Amino acid sequence: MNIGEIAKRSGVARSTVSYALSGKRPVSEETRRRIQAVIDELGYRPNAAAKALKEGRTHTIGLVIPPASRRLTDMQLGFVASVVDAAAHADLDVLLSPSGGEHDRSFERVVGGRRVDGVIVMEIRLEDDRVTRLRQAGLPFVGIGRTSRPEEMSWVDIDYEKLIANCVHHLADLGHRHIALINRSEELVAAGYGPGHRAQAGFTRAMAERRLDGVQTCCADDAQSGVSCVERLLDERPDLTAIATLNEAATPGMYHALAQAGLVVPRDFSIAGVSARHWAENLHPPLTAADVPADELGARAVEMLIRLIADPTTPHGHLLVAPPISLRGTTGPARARDDRS
Amino acid sequence: MNIGEIAKRSGVARSTVSYALSGKRPVSEETRRRIQAVIDELGYRPNAAAKALKEGRTHTIGLVIPPASRRLTDMQLGFVASVVDAAAHADLDVLLSPSGGEHDRSFERVVGGRRVDGVIVMEIRLEDDRVTRLRQAGLPFVGIGRTSRPEEMSWVDIDYEKLIANCVHHLADLGHRHIALINRSEELVAAGYGPGHRAQAGFTRAMAERRLDGVQTCCADDAQSGVSCVERLLDERPDLTAIATLNEAATPGMYHALAQAGLVVPRDFSIAGVSARHWAENLHPPLTAADVPADELGARAVEMLIRLIADPTTPHGHLLVAPPISLRGTTGPARARDDRS
DNA sequence: TTGTACGCGTTATCAG
DNA sequence: CTGATAACGCGTACAA
């Protein structure tokens, strides 16, 4: 069932069928109906590959996600969902490419084979060779996250530096003097993962401004690691009364470790974080956190990409969001740990 | 940069370049090197659309997920991750189609436009028109889940009927006499969602076998709903001492509502569920549950699909898994609710 | 409305 | 045995 078959059965030329479908040339009502009848009968659909080959457009965007084996955080899942959703609304399909490592076949296929009209890249590093590759390929792309030279690309991002600083200030305002930053995983930070580095910077700056005593640590993205990380911190730093974190996957573990240590949140210990709202609200007690609007960011990234595809000379778009901290149940006045009765 | 350009610059014919790349005909070492040099220099990649058009294969599989707006459960996310992972290992790309509703554009594009070599469909209903459509299109497909006529298609599935029955028996063995089943959302069950119905069947059967008193209820897939659902149950059924559930997204809410009611799990109240291991372990206390091996199911689904694509006459594969219940922290001996001091 | 060239890679066929 | 020629897959759009 191709266009030639339809043409034959309708007794018209192939081009007439094409025009009848696209409407780019007028076709008499009579023949149009005859053609449509045949199409409906045979259930004809134009072949996407032929169309793509001719038009040079695939009506597909690539979405580069962290390797599937590594578990996506709730926030990342939110990005994926909103990108897929926004793309569907624009009648675009989404081709997934799980690519975080260095030499990646999937990424190369998607980028090199012109399988997509544009790409959205998640989990960008400060120096990211996927970005280099995309630029070299001349393929429109938008980052969810930005490199160390952000003016050179289009992106949407979360201002982790400011958000973590805000967390510190919030905790400091509550009287906390000894605060820990629990970052994302060691590998991620070592690999130059932007949010990890910017969070460090924000923490260091805010702690210095407030003349506070802090400690920074990395923690893998899962609850188990959150447990051991907090256990270690409580052990090594008896003066600690609060945590600031961007590691949402580890927060349940942090809660657990604190509870095990007999610390009641927020009475004895405070936590302030950066997290998807959904995630923060589902924790018990709900996490005081800057709520990352993942759906909005994903949708805006798709918007930018669509614009860029339509006109590749469009100037780079940048969207840096710093949502306010939603006060929920995990921060309260500081209370020395040996104070508790 | 197309194959003709490469041929011109290497001083050979287009076909020679093609043969040099595919190896389907011997090409002299000399020319092969010259061609490769040009390819490397220009960074040439064959156009995927042209290849697909000629070969009739796209090296892409479609993955039909529930609409992105609806939040995926942890288990569904596990399926997606394992499918993407397994596909990447087989050098297949994954095209996402968020389609749950009736008339879906994205689904129709993927299926009708021959954009994929095969499809994996998630969240299958007992009567599922996507399955009908796929069969009609003659496209190989594998369900994660099965319809009411399972012999007519290939699938991998979880034996919710048996698993929920196992939960009931486990709770009954612990002395529980009044047990509630908390199902997935009302809409899902009303729409004929397989697991919802099979869970009902398993619950009803096991409760009858044990001559127990039960109640069944639906609950939306989020923590908030879990809270209100359990609040209502506790209110309406003061004799209730245990819950069996397949609604993993609502479990945190159930925990919360029980805690609010002053019930300590598992001392005063028991919960047994069906859930991704990761999810069960991350709850506090960790959930006693049948651990669904999502990664294995996804990988097996991809395997089946690959086989089916290679040879569409392959007989349908069926894989029904019923993992044992992992005893964790949420079930204990029954204790009447008014017993507690 | 129709005929036809085109986009690009593959492969059967023919020539050397 | 190597290289070249041409047809093919399918939809689009220009020229007639």
Side-chain angles (χ1 to χ4, degrees), chain B residues 23 57 68 83 93 103 189 219 234 240 244 246-247 252 318:
Chain B
R57 286 206 42 180
V83 165
D93 290 314
H103 47 290
V189 174
C219 173
L234 291 178
L240 220 55
L246 60 159
N247 191 324
H318 306 307

Side-chain angles (χ1 to χ4, degrees), chain A:
Chain A
M1 358 74 207
N2 55 30
I3 203 170
E5 190 62 29
I6 305 296
K8 199 183 299 175
R9 302 212 192 196
S10 323
V12 298
R14 293 195 308 157
S15 51
T16 308
V17 177
S18 180
Y19 287 129
L21 284 174
S22 69
K24 296 192 178 178
R25 283 280 184 84
V27 171
S28 80
E29 190 52 39
E30 168 59 22
T31 40
R32 141 170 287 129
R33 260 210 314 283
R34 208 168 57 246
I35 291 171
Q36 192 56 51
V38 177
I39 286 177
D40 290 343
E41 188 198 334
L42 300 195
Y44 163 76
R45 295 267 149 200
N47 180 313
K51 193 169 197 162
L53 179 56
K54 176 62 184 168
E55 294 188 336
R57 286 207 42 181
T58 61
H59 296 282
T60 305
I61 63 174
L63 178 58
V64 179
I65 59 176
S69 51
R70 198 188 327 149
R71 200 151 193 100
L72 266 65
T73 67
D74 201 69
M75 195 191 298
Q76 289 170 333
L77 181 56
F79 289 139
V80 173
S82 61
V83 166
V84 170
D85 208 37
H89 277 293
D91 279 333
L92 292 171
D93 290 313
V94 174
L95 196 60
L96 237 41
S97 175
S99 307
E102 312 312 304
H103 46 291
D104 196 299
R105 318 163 58 86
S106 160
F107 181 77
E108 199 42 51
R109 274 200 308 272
V110 169
V111 173
R114 282 155 289 177
R115 297 178 57 85
V116 297
D117 298 333
V119 174
I120 289 180
V121 189
M122 285 175 58
E123 207 175 58
I124 295 216
R125 285 128 160 78
L126 293 173
E127 304 296 325
D128 201 304
D129 36 12
R130 295 168 304 175
V131 168
T132 317
R133 179 75 184 83
L134 282 163
R135 192 172 294 131
Q136 173 211 330
L139 205 55
F141 70 97
V142 174
I144 297 184
R146 62 200 197 279
T147 63
S148 58
R149 285 179 306 287
E151 64 288 350
E152 294 179 356
M153 60 178 284
S154 290
W155 48 264
V156 300
D157 204 358
I158 301 158
D159 194 346
Y160 277 99
E161 179 164 350
K162 182 186 282 181
L163 291 182
I164 288 294
N166 287 353
C167 287
V168 168
H169 286 301
H170 170 58
L171 292 167
D173 290 344
L174 287 165
H176 294 276
R177 292 286 160 268
H178 308 278
I179 305 174
L181 169 67
I182 298 188
N183 208 319
R184 299 285 294 279
S185 77
E186 190 106 43
E187 309 88 90
L188 223 43
V189 175
Y193 177 61
H197 285 257
R198 300 197 181 95
Q200 287 182 338
F203 184 75
T204 305
R205 175 168 58 77
M207 292 298 278
E209 279 172 24
R210 293 310 211 74
R211 300 179 187 287
L212 301 180
D213 169 48
V215 52
Q216 303 193 10
T217 182
C218 288
C219 174
D221 290 354
D222 60 86
Q224 263 68 43
S225 304
V227 172
S228 47
C229 176
V230 168
E231 280 174 350
R232 186 169 40 73
L233 281 175
L234 292 179
D235 187 52
E236 292 174 0
R237 303 287 307 246
D239 51 354
L240 221 54
T241 62
I243 287 171
T245 187
L246 61 158
N247 190 324
E248 58 178 19
T251 36
M254 301 180 202
Y255 277 50
H256 188 62
L258 290 170
Q260 287 297 104
L263 296 168
V264 175
V265 174
R267 194 193 63 185
D268 307 316
F269 205 94
S270 290
I271 310 181
V274 180
S275 157
R277 183 161 66 94
H278 170 266
W279 184 261
E281 286 178 346
N282 266 4
L283 291 165
H284 296 292
L287 183 71
T288 290
D291 298 342
V292 175
D295 4 346
E296 193 207 329
L297 284 182
R300 298 297 293 274
V302 171
E303 264 176 41
M304 276 188 197
L305 186 58
I306 289 174
R307 225 187 302 278
L308 221 41
I309 290 170
D311 176 11
T313 68
T314 307
H316 289 313
H318 306 306
L319 175 65
L320 188 61
V321 301
I325 292 178
S326 295
L327 297 178
R328 297 199 181 88
T330 57
T331 52
R335 186 192 199 193
R337 296 241 303 278
D338 41 16
D339 253 23
R340 68 199 140 106
S341 42

Side-chain angles (χ1 to χ4, degrees), chain B residues 244-267:
Chain B
T245 186
L246 60 159
N247 191 324
E248 58 178 17
T251 35
M254 301 180 203
Y255 277 48
H256 188 61
L258 290 170
Q260 288 297 105
L263 296 168
V264 175
V265 174
R267 195 193 62 185

Side-chain angles (χ1 to χ4, degrees), chain B residues 181-257:
Chain B
L181 169 67
I182 298 188
N183 208 320
R184 299 286 295 280
S185 77
E186 191 107 42
E187 308 90 88
L188 223 42
V189 174
Y193 178 61
H197 285 257
R198 299 196 181 97
Q200 287 182 338
F203 184 77
T204 306
R205 175 167 59 76
M207 294 297 279
E209 279 172 23
R210 294 305 206 99
R211 303 178 185 288
L212 301 181
D213 169 49
V215 53
Q216 302 192 11
T217 182
C218 287
C219 173
D221 289 356
D222 60 86
Q224 262 68 43
S225 305
V227 172
S228 48
C229 176
V230 168
E231 279 173 352
R232 185 168 41 74
L233 280 175
L234 291 178
D235 187 51
E236 292 174 0
R237 302 287 308 246
D239 51 355
L240 220 55
T241 62
I243 288 171
T245 186
L246 60 159
N247 191 324
E248 58 178 17
T251 35
M254 301 180 203
Y255 277 48
H256 188 61

